[in-house]
Amino acid sequence: MKDWMGKIRTLSLFSLMVLLLSACGRDNLTALVPKGYGAEESLRIIIITITVMIVVFIVVMAIFVFVLLKYRQKKGQENMVPKQTEGNKTLEIVWTVIPILLLIVIAIPTVATTYDLADESAKEDSLNINVTGEQFWWHFEYPGEEIQTSQDLYIPVGQKVYLNMMSTDVIHSFWVPSISGKMDVNPDNENTMYIEAYEEGVYWGQCAEFCGDSHSLMDFRIVVVSQEEYDQWVTDMQNVDPDAVPESTTAQEGKALFEQSCISCHAVGNTPSVGPNLSNFGDRTMIAGVLEHSEEELVEWILNPASKKPGNGMLDAPYLQDKSVSQEDAEKIADYLLQLKASEITPDSAK
Ligand code: HEC
Ligand SMILES: [Cu+2]
């Protein structure tokens, strides 16, 4: 009875989780509806493997039930011992060869796809993006285009895009299940994976390797747009002017405060930075990957980032130690950050 209750509880928790996840717009955080080459190949192998397992299960269960019925103890034959088959060569061969054949059926497509996905022959002629995993956010650098960005990875639809991945701290794992499989992101060596998205849209990703306090909050997105939109986005990003003067006076004051307290880690424009690049922060639909993109959340994030993402790299900021940024300052900075719009091409326009 208790066991039964436990199962119901797990099931309802699970459905609640599914509901919660889909409520956050993460409905495409699934490997079962592929929208990219790697994801499609993975699903094909999943289906082959599950089919083989189901056939094995049915055959074994059928034999099991047959044996139970046929050889059960019958009235009047309590001491009957059926014919023993140990050492039967034919049987031994049959049940050794069948699993080998089944494993071959699974292994051929798996190994072929694994090699195919590791193919780097098109790397030179394709778009290359350097991906850096950090506790607990993603940095994307487009070396050919000289663009830096974070959290949202923009790519053109229908193109092979090579991701060269490294970590600055611990092991992370890059995973956008509807586009491709997982790839470990290591501190010591670069791993390369190519992705190819079939349809425009915004696809959710998650770090899939436990990496610290806020591992479960290390969300990101791939924004897949048409080739023209992608080219437009690149030009727009290249033209971001870090010295542009905001319209409102509060945003102007916010800019000055930002340059005092935040610029040591962040950047606007195409300079490298230890924290996320904020060139197109106003185009984002999330703050720090997981928070609602609103002024209120942003002010809370600035004043108390630990409450939103425990253990994150912003907690070392000097302004948090000496409390030099007031509520009013934070509101001004938020004004400034929210008007940092780089392009018409955004996750909202791509949906
Ligand atoms: C010690 C370096 C450091 C300083 C100083 C710092 N930050 Fe950050 N900031 C970070 C890091 C690291 C992250 C990424 C946190 C995460 O998502 O795990 C971050 C994230 C953010 C984000 C979310 C970015 C995104 O891509 O969604 C915003 C907005 C932000 N910081 C604003 C500020 C503001 C405003 C200040 C100054 C008042 C500031 N930061 C000072 C390191 C810093
Ligand atoms: Cu991680």
Side-chain angles (χ1 to χ4, degrees):
M1 183 64 188
K2 259 200 190 136
D3 199 40
W4 199 68
M5 291 290 288
K7 270 191 193 125
I8 293 210
R9 212 168 323 138
T10 317
L11 199 73
S12 41
L13 254 178
F14 186 72
S15 12
L16 189 76
M17 219 169 71
V18 170
L19 258 177
L20 274 177
L21 287 176
S22 50
C24 300
R26 287 168 212 189
D27 43 336
N28 61 29
L29 195 69
T30 168
L32 301 179
V33 188
K35 300 283 181 185
Y37 179 68
E40 193 178 65
E41 291 297 289
S42 306
L43 183 61
R44 196 169 62 94
I45 294 172
I46 291 172
I47 289 172
I48 293 173
T49 313
I50 289 182
T51 310
V52 168
M53 286 191 295
I54 289 173
V55 170
V56 168
F57 181 79
I58 290 174
V59 171
V60 169
M61 277 303 143
I63 296 174
F64 176 63
V65 171
F66 171 78
V67 170
L68 270 189
L69 295 178
K70 176 145 195 214
Y71 295 102
R72 74 183 194 281
Q73 205 176 49
K74 297 191 185 87
K75 272 229 171 73
Q77 302 183 352
E78 278 80 3
N79 296 322
M80 210 272 275
V81 177
K83 189 174 151 235
Q84 299 299 294
T85 54
E86 72 233 30
N88 182 319
K89 252 199 203 123
T90 321
L91 271 181
E92 299 270 356
I93 289 173
V94 167
W95 64 52
T96 308
V97 168
I98 290 179
I100 291 176
L101 290 179
L102 291 177
L103 283 182
I104 290 175
V105 167
I106 295 176
I108 288 175
T110 307
V111 173
T113 303
T114 306
Y115 273 91
D116 191 17
L117 288 172
D119 174 31
E120 295 199 5
S121 59
K123 188 168 189 278
E124 297 269 296
D125 305 317
S126 304
L127 172 61
N128 274 256
I129 302 172
N130 298 334
V131 174
T132 314
E134 315 217 13
Q135 284 171 320
F136 303 94
W137 59 285
W138 298 88
H139 178 203
F140 305 116
E141 184 199 5
Y142 297 60
E145 290 74 14
E146 293 184 18
I147 295 176
Q148 316 263 345
T149 188
S150 51
Q151 316 293 18
D152 294 344
L153 174 66
Y154 288 72
I155 61 165
V157 71
Q159 300 281 338
K160 270 190 180 174
V161 177
Y162 281 82
L163 305 177
N164 307 311
M165 310 201 232
M166 281 201 83
S167 160
T168 50
D169 35 53
V170 298
I171 302 175
H172 302 277
S173 174
F174 183 97
W175 189 40
V176 182
S178 51
I179 300 293
S180 190
K182 297 172 183 171
M183 179 57 84
D184 268 8
V185 182
N186 298 325
D188 301 326
N189 67 296
E190 187 177 273
N191 278 344
T192 296
M193 169 171 82
Y194 73 80
I195 55 175
E196 183 182 337
Y198 294 154
E199 273 176 42
E200 292 169 33
V202 178
Y203 301 96
W204 280 79
Q206 239 174 16
C207 176
E209 177 77 45
F210 180 70
C211 60
D213 290 355
S214 289
H215 156 69
S216 64
L217 303 175
M218 197 167 158
D219 293 11
F220 63 106
R221 279 151 304 273
I222 297 188
V223 181
V224 181
V225 294
S226 70
Q227 184 68 50
E228 298 86 72
E229 287 172 318
Y230 174 75
D231 294 339
Q232 181 62 49
W233 178 80
V234 167
T235 314
D236 291 342
M237 286 296 281
Q238 285 168 338
N239 289 336
V240 167
D241 174 11
D243 300 321
V245 181
E247 270 175 36
S248 75
T249 39
T250 43
Q252 286 167 17
E253 288 169 41
K255 182 171 191 289
L257 289 163
F258 179 80
E259 278 158 14
Q260 229 168 52
S261 304
C262 322
I263 208 80
S264 57
C265 295
H266 292 287
V268 176
N270 298 318
T271 35
S273 54
V274 292
N277 183 294
L278 300 177
S279 296
N280 63 348
F281 182 76
D283 297 340
R284 306 242 174 100
T285 50
M286 290 284 167
I287 299 171
V290 286
L291 309 172
E292 192 198 327
H293 201 263
S294 68
E295 171 127 29
E296 196 185 335
E297 280 286 315
L298 181 54
V299 170
E300 278 180 38
W301 168 262
I302 295 171
L303 293 174
N304 192 0
S307 68
K308 305 288 181 186
K309 262 183 145 175
N312 85 74
M314 187 150 140
L315 308 186
D316 300 332
Y319 81 90
L320 289 171
Q321 323 305 327
D322 61 20
K323 305 217 169 4
S324 56
V325 169
S326 65
Q327 169 87 25
E328 203 189 334
D329 294 341
E331 283 165 13
K332 288 176 182 165
I333 298 175
D335 255 15
Y336 166 61
L337 292 180
L338 288 170
Q339 57 85 56
L340 287 175
K341 294 185 195 293
S343 178
E344 297 280 302
I345 317 299
T346 66
D348 275 334
S349 80
K351 252 189 234 155

